[in-house]
Amino acid sequence: MAGSNVIPELTTNFMVYGEDNAFLGVANVELPEIAPMTTTVSGAGIAGEVEVPVLSHFGSMTVKLQWRQVTPEVARLAKPTSHELVLRTALQSRDATTLQTVTKSLRIALRSMPKSISLGTLEAGATTDTETELEVAYFKMEIDGKEMVEIDKFNFKASFEGDNTLDEVKQALGMS
C-alpha cells in the first residue's frame, strides 16, 4: 500500500505520556533541536575558517510543553528529578498513486530534567497556557517501530538507523 509515492501531510493527533504510561494531559509540544556542537578550524593549509561538528556531540536539547491548564501531573514535572516522557503520534500521509490515506506512527521517548515551569495566566474562560521546559539527556525517535535516532548523552550513544556513530570514539577511549 504505502511505497515511495507517499506524501507527508500532517500530524493527525498525538498523546503525551509520563512514567508508567500515564497520560499527562493536553499539550502543544516544541520538540528538541538536534544540533551538533561545533568548533572553528583554521590555520596553515586552510583558506579561512571552517565550522566543523564535533563527532556525535550535541548542544543542549530542550523540550517545551504548553499545557491547557495547571494539573497535578504537570506540577509533578517541576520536581528536580529525572522525568520520562513518551510522545506517541499518528502521522497522516497520502499515497500519491491510490490517493488513500496512510497513517504512520511516530514515537519519541525522552529522559529529561526540569529547567523551568511557567504557570501561565489566569483569565476567565481561557486556558492558562502553563509551560514546562525540560533539558533532554536521552532522545529516541522511532517511525513505524523502526529506530531512526537515539541519543544518550550520559551513556555515550548517538545512533542513527542503528549505527552508533560513537563506537570508534568509545574504542579509542578504552570504553568498549
Side-chain angles (χ1 to χ4, degrees), residues 103-135:
T103 300
K104 295 180 176 274
S105 66
L106 171 65
R107 179 182 179 273
I108 296 177
L110 308 166
R111 283 197 291 269
S112 56
M113 300 155 285
K115 284 185 75 169
S116 67
I117 182 167
S118 170
L119 297 176
T121 59
L122 296 176
E123 181 181 336
T127 62
T128 61
D129 294 333
T130 300
E131 187 172 278
T132 306
E133 183 176 12
L134 303 162
E135 176 68 25

Side-chain angles (χ1 to χ4, degrees), residues 32 60-65 67 77-79 81 83 85 110-116 132-137:
S60 174
M61 299 188 312
T62 61
V63 62
K64 292 181 183 176
L65 300 104
W67 309 94
L77 291 176
K79 184 176 181 182
T81 187
H83 297 283
L85 298 177
L110 308 166
R111 283 197 291 269
S112 56
M113 300 155 285
K115 284 185 75 169
S116 67
T132 306
E133 183 176 12
L134 303 162
E135 176 68 25
V136 176

Side-chain angles (χ1 to χ4, degrees), residues 85-87 107-111 136 138-142:
L85 298 177
V86 175
L87 309 171
R107 179 182 179 273
I108 296 177
L110 308 166
R111 283 197 291 269
V136 176
Y138 176 86
F139 174 91
K140 185 174 186 178
M141 179 175 66
E142 300 170 342

Side-chain angles (χ1 to χ4, degrees), residues 4-25:
S4 61
N5 263 351
V6 175
I7 312 294
E9 291 181 334
L10 54 96
T11 298
T12 305
N13 214 326
F14 72 98
M15 303 286 281
V16 181
Y17 297 99
E19 284 89 358
D20 301 322
N21 208 31
F23 175 67
L24 291 185

Side-chain angles (χ1 to χ4, degrees), residues 34-45:
I34 300 171
M37 293 174 54
T38 61
T39 191
T40 302
V41 176
S42 64

